[in-house]
Amino acid sequence: MQDPAPLITDAHDRVRDHYRPAIGRARDELTTPALLLDLETLRANLSLMEAGMRDVPTALRAHVKVHKSPHIARMEVEHGAVGVGCATVWEAIVMARAGISDVFVINEVVGPEKTRALALLAREADVKAAVDDAAQVAELSAAAVTAGSTIGVLIDVDEGMHRCGVASSEEALPLARRIADAPGLRFMGLTGYEGHCSLEFDETRRHAMAREAMGLLTGIATDLTGEGLPSQIVSAAGTGTWAVTSRYPGVTEIQPGSYATMDGHHRGLDPRFGWAVTVLATVISRRPDRVVLDAGSKTVGASHGVLKEPDLEKYRFDEEHSIFVADDRTPLTTGDKVEILCNYTPFAIGYFEAYHVLEEGRVVDIWPVMPRGPESRWLLDMLERGD
Amino acid sequence: MRDPAPIITDAHERVREFYGSAIGRSKYEVVTPALVIDRDLLVANLAYMQSRLPELHARLRGHVKNHKSPHVARLQLEHGAFGLCAATVWEAIVMVRAGADEVLIANQLVNPAKRRAAALLAREANVTVNVDDVDDATALSAAAVAAGTTLGILVEVDTGMHRAGVDSPEEALTVARAVQALPGLRMDGLSGYEGHTSLEMDHDKRHEKQAAAMRYFVEVADHLEAHGVPCPILSAAGTATAFWTGANPRITELQLGSYAAMDDYHFLMEPRFKKATTAVVTVISRRRDRVVLDLGKKTFGSAEVGSIAAHPRIFGHESLKPYRFDEEHATYEADESCSLKVGDVVDFHLGYTPFAVNYFDAYHVVEDRTVVDIWPIMPRGPLHGGLLQLLEAGH
């Protein structure tokens, strides 16, 4: 792994500058709301995944969309990940500049500036993207030829999630041929995320669904091999299905992300991983029948959350407030700090600028969230300037 | 209104540098997903509100939490707003530095750093804060005394929303008397946002709830005044109740915000304001039975407000049924009769704008579909982004 580039170290310096007074302080002394990352739990999660991967024939590709942290991504690589998965081309640029050479945008990249960004990035890293349509292949090929680079391409397979992706060998074959023939592109194989399984909390049913999905994915890979188009990579899985998918014959790598930071949804699927990321909030109003916290939907995100302790029933989430039912037996008073366990952490992380990184209850560092938000066109400008 | 300070002009320059290549281009040529604000519709909304002010008893205090834009805030002040309203002290700092002389933080601060920030900000502008607790008021007083400033205080009254706020006229009097006795604080009146009425989509029921909330609010004020505590300010209302609450002769100021940038959720309740804020998005996958867009819940936020659907939808294809909203994707059911194909760039209804705005860096400002400027979103997200150090360093 290369050292992080100035893009990353400058961002780290900037957030350390913004939140410097917090460094060295205890949790209860922080200004809220704050996004907390418990380093010990994070390390334990990464070690658990690393140990699990020793016994299976597949490789780990860590998905970074969940945490958007160059620091966590580097730790994932140090714990055995061969590379990272990204949801956007902007995430891919950040992770390549964080020092990770194998970056896969597990998504369709459409639009002239996004494809140009991907093609320019392919000059400095092993860059891969997913496609499910001939128009995307043509656009990626033209961008790679213009940039003088080569982009690895995987066909996105709809294994039952019903989002993007082709659903049959009949659809995959002409697309694979087109990729193999397109200048500037290299056909690398298939990718399929069985995300629909992660909405099924019964483990037996979920595992059966995952096996069915892998049957479809690897069946298409076999058909393509029969036509002279072997898949070097067959990539799948999330935190809810990795245990099954990582052992499925024909799958070469898994692409989970939530295992690192975790949240309520994924704890319901795989409770072996600990809750490393929480949102710290302050009780700003104490009424006889409720407590009001200074973290609402614009902090915790669409899926809301529960309190780490005490166990209180949710009353309502407003934009800047969450409200929990609490009578006078609950000892919380105005000014008290509580941690919110997000039901789905990525929504919260997407709102924040930085993590407060804790060890033994004290802030030891501030890590940037990068890239922040949906738009990051300036990263393309950076690549075009050759910086 | 003062000129914007360097933190505003620097941020404006930074986002123009980041996204300025879009200026002069069609909004359909920008990198998607992009947050778009139509300047003509925005100004029309502000002008409409301004035109209605003479018939209302209350003054307009423009809320900024919805748009988080110093540029929109300045336009609010140019269109009849006497001051601004913020949900956080960080928003208040930004808006004072944008040029506002008068800002209400319609919320409890409680954190020591937030109290200190408000007290320091009161050196530059008239800063007013909500309280519902004597201990919080006491700590605010200490912060103001330490900074050598005076904070205006509104006692927050729960008018039915069941969030923060005192629960009875007696409790309001207790807190108000405590505020009166504390140095560095000025007891200005009461704050009583009837936000629960904005979760009532039925027009007549909403009006009944609004009327009940304001009856109670005025009773609390009467109780204080009967006990010798004057309440020169009674502040309330949102976009869905502004014209009713503003016509109440006892209410002195309105704290609505969505009227400026608007969204589909508020449009259902108040269609006289137009949807000035939208997004442009790209179709990234087209399957036989569905289309997939390059934005999801990490772009538009939640598809619901409370338990009410906020209706994120594709312009011109409003009848398409949502299949599922993921983090980075919105998937709609669409058979072959739908003309959308991979690469199409379309306008998108965001549903409830504040959730989306908080994820973005900037607005693409358009006039007649052409991008004319890039405006920063400030402050972004829940953290202060260095604003506290700025005040403490005296910059």
Side-chain angles (χ1 to χ4, degrees):
Chain A
M1 192 161 42
Q2 287 170 294
D3 285 341
L7 173 73
I8 309 300
T9 52
D10 291 353
H12 190 197
D13 288 345
R14 191 178 62 244
V15 296
R16 280 179 64 98
D17 193 34
H18 285 172
Y19 305 102
R20 185 168 303 282
I23 297 174
R25 279 199 198 164
R27 187 201 77 153
D28 285 356
E29 296 164 358
L30 299 179
T31 302
T32 60
L35 186 68
L36 305 185
L37 173 64
D38 183 71
L39 209 46
E40 225 171 318
T41 310
L42 172 67
R43 284 195 194 109
N45 289 344
L46 300 183
S47 298
L48 183 64
M49 181 58 87
E50 188 176 22
M53 293 307 292
R54 278 195 203 109
D55 306 327
V56 296
T58 44
L60 169 66
R61 174 179 301 284
H63 212 310
V64 302
K65 66 163 184 153
V66 178
H67 54 67
K68 286 174 167 262
S69 162
H71 290 79
I72 297 175
R74 287 181 65 88
M75 288 173 73
E76 288 176 310
V77 171
E78 285 161 6
H79 284 80
V82 296
V84 292
C86 306
T88 69
V89 62
W90 317 121
E91 288 171 8
I93 296 171
V94 166
M95 296 307 156
R97 291 297 171 99
I100 295 161
S101 54
D102 178 346
V103 292
F104 176 15
V105 183
I106 312 175
N107 202 354
E108 283 65 11
V109 181
V110 175
E113 285 162 302
K114 289 182 186 170
T115 49
R116 192 158 78 241
L118 199 70
L120 290 171
L121 188 67
R123 290 176 176 172
E124 51 183 275
D126 172 7
V127 171
K128 293 180 267 290
V131 300
D132 69 358
D133 184 292
Q136 299 147 359
V137 175
E139 204 182 341
L140 282 176
S141 170
V145 168
T146 305
S149 60
T150 302
I151 299 171
V153 175
L154 290 89
I155 295 178
D156 194 352
V157 174
D158 177 11
E159 307 171 338
M161 193 192 187
H162 303 317
R163 191 165 65 190
C164 308
V166 302
S168 66
S169 295
E170 290 68 40
E171 266 189 284
L173 185 59
L175 201 52
R177 288 208 172 106
R178 203 178 273 265
I179 297 162
D181 292 342
L185 305 186
R186 181 182 300 131
F187 175 69
M188 299 293 292
L190 305 181
T191 185
Y193 170 50
E194 62 278 23
H196 60 297
C197 304
S198 295
L199 301 172
E200 171 59 63
F201 284 93
D202 181 89
E203 191 176 67
T204 310
R205 272 207 295 271
R206 184 168 72 253
H207 286 179
M209 286 165 74
R211 284 191 195 94
E212 193 186 334
M214 288 314 109
L216 176 73
L217 179 68
T218 56
I220 293 176
T222 305
D223 289 347
L224 292 187
T225 304
E227 298 288 336
L229 291 158
S231 291
Q232 192 180 324
I233 296 175
V234 177
S235 186
T239 298
T241 53
W242 75 279
V244 168
T245 299
S246 66
R247 294 167 191 276
Y248 199 91
V251 175
T252 69
E253 64 172 42
I254 60 165
Q255 45 178 259
S258 291
Y259 75 99
T261 50
M262 288 305 284
D263 51 44
H265 182 86
H266 291 92
R267 291 266 299 170
L269 298 169
D270 195 335
R272 288 171 293 180
F273 296 104
W275 231 306
V277 172
T278 58
V279 171
L280 184 70
T282 299
V283 176
I284 60 162
S285 181
R286 180 67 167 105
R287 314 316 311 163
D289 56 351
R290 63 189 187 270
V291 291
V292 184
L293 310 180
D294 63 351
S297 307
K298 268 163 56 174
T299 298
V300 176
S303 290
H304 304 163
V306 297
L307 297 189
K308 189 171 177 182
E309 56 185 353
D311 181 20
L312 299 179
E313 188 193 336
K314 176 176 99 173
Y315 180 73
R316 195 178 65 228
F317 269 66
D318 294 339
E319 275 169 64
E320 299 288 356
H321 305 82
S322 51
I323 309 166
F324 291 86
V325 177
D327 62 20
D328 48 22
R329 286 168 300 178
T330 305
L332 290 174
T333 58
T334 299
D336 284 352
K337 299 286 195 294
V338 290
E339 279 175 65
I340 298 174
L341 303 167
C342 305
N343 288 329
Y344 203 67
T345 310
F347 295 143
I349 292 167
Y351 280 133
F352 275 91
E353 184 185 11
Y355 293 92
H356 285 67
V357 183
L358 283 89
E359 248 180 323
E360 290 171 7
R362 276 192 188 274
V363 177
V364 294
D365 204 350
I366 309 290
W367 288 354
V369 174
M370 287 182 80
R372 267 188 92 187
E375 91 278 56
S376 292
R377 198 205 174 279
W378 59 282
L379 290 169
L380 170 59
D381 296 334
M382 178 189 77
L383 292 182
E384 286 187 327
R385 284 194 307 268
D387 291 351
Chain B
M1 186 166 41
R2 286 166 291 136
D3 285 340
I7 66 158
I8 308 297
T9 52
D10 291 353
H12 190 198
E13 277 170 33
R14 191 180 65 244
V15 295
R16 280 178 65 102
E17 195 186 305
F18 284 177
Y19 310 105
S21 60
I23 295 173
R25 289 162 78 178
S26 155
K27 67 175 174 175
Y28 301 113
E29 291 170 20
V30 307
V31 181
T32 63
L35 185 67
V36 170
I37 193 161
D38 184 308
R39 201 181 185 285
D40 296 330
L41 291 180
L42 168 68
V43 169
N45 287 342
L46 299 174
Y48 177 72
M49 190 67 215
Q50 185 173 26
S51 76
R52 296 289 304 271
L53 287 174
E55 73 197 70
L56 302 175
H57 290 273
R59 297 195 294 168
L60 171 64
R61 184 189 279 285
H63 213 310
V64 303
K65 68 169 180 144
N66 323 73
H67 55 71
K68 287 178 166 252
S69 161
H71 290 79
V72 176
R74 288 183 65 88
L75 286 169
Q76 286 174 299
L77 292 169
E78 286 167 12
H79 288 83
F82 78 96
L84 298 175
C85 186
T88 70
V89 67
W90 319 124
E91 289 171 6
I93 296 170
V94 167
M95 296 311 158
V96 168
R97 293 296 173 96
D101 304 312
E102 166 75 48
V103 62
L104 164 65
I105 304 159
N107 207 344
Q108 286 68 32
L109 296 178
V110 177
N111 272 249
K114 292 180 182 174
R115 291 183 184 124
R116 196 161 69 242
L120 290 169
L121 188 65
R123 291 178 177 167
E124 311 174 23
N126 182 29
V127 176
T128 309
V129 178
N130 279 10
V131 301
D132 69 358
D133 181 281
V134 173
D135 290 344
D136 188 29
T138 307
L140 276 172
S141 160
V145 169
T149 55
T150 301
L151 288 169
I153 299 292
L154 299 182
V155 175
E156 182 166 350
V157 178
D158 178 5
T159 58
M161 194 186 188
H162 303 317
R163 192 164 67 190
V166 298
D167 295 315
S168 66
E170 295 72 29
E171 194 185 358
L173 183 61
T174 305
V175 178
R177 282 193 168 142
V179 170
Q180 277 186 317
L182 285 163
L185 304 186
R186 185 184 65 236
M187 173 58 203
D188 278 345
L190 304 178
S191 184
Y193 173 50
E194 65 279 25
H196 58 299
T197 65
S198 297
L199 297 169
E200 176 55 68
M201 288 288 133
D202 181 87
H203 176 277
D204 293 342
K205 284 188 193 150
R206 183 164 69 252
H207 198 171
E208 278 169 33
K209 287 184 178 179
Q210 177 276 339
M214 289 305 105
R215 259 197 312 277
Y216 173 70
F217 191 41
V218 168
E219 269 173 40
V220 176
D222 287 344
H223 183 75
L224 265 60
E225 293 190 338
H227 289 79
V229 181
C231 293
I233 295 175
L234 290 188
S235 185
T239 297
T241 55
F243 299 117
W244 299 328
T245 298
N248 185 319
R250 293 293 301 280
I251 305 302
T252 68
E253 60 175 54
L254 308 174
Q255 45 176 263
L256 62 158
S258 289
Y259 76 102
M262 282 299 283
D263 52 40
D264 292 84
Y265 181 81
H266 289 91
F267 188 75
L268 291 173
M269 293 183 281
E270 187 46 274
R272 285 170 288 195
F273 296 112
K274 305 306 173 198
K275 288 180 261 184
T277 307
T278 56
V280 287
V281 301
T282 300
V283 176
I284 61 159
S285 181
R286 179 68 168 103
R287 315 317 308 165
R288 269 186 292 274
D289 55 353
R290 60 191 189 272
V291 293
V292 186
L293 307 177
D294 65 349
L295 95 170
K297 288 188 191 169
K298 264 160 60 175
T299 299
F300 64 71
S302 179
E304 285 111 33
V305 180
S307 55
I308 300 161
H311 302 297
R313 282 168 303 159
I314 308 170
F315 266 85
H317 301 270
E318 283 82 354
S319 63
L320 297 184
K321 206 174 140 209
Y323 178 74
R324 196 180 58 234
F325 299 128
D326 297 331
E327 276 169 67
E328 300 285 358
H329 305 84
T331 306
Y332 290 83
E333 292 175 13
D335 63 18
E336 63 221 355
S337 68
C338 170
S339 61
L340 292 171
K341 58 183 192 304
V342 170
D344 283 355
V345 178
V346 290
D347 294 296
F348 189 80
H349 299 267
L350 287 161
Y352 193 68
T353 312
F355 295 144
V357 167
N358 209 33
Y359 278 128
F360 275 90
D361 209 10
Y363 291 94
H364 285 69
V365 186
V366 304
E367 278 177 20
D368 289 335
R369 298 180 179 191
T370 301
V371 179
V372 296
D373 203 351
I374 309 289
W375 287 349
I377 287 160
M378 290 181 75
R380 257 188 100 184
L383 297 179
H384 63 73
L387 289 168
L388 181 60
Q389 281 92 315
L390 186 95
L391 284 188
E392 288 190 332
H395 296 316

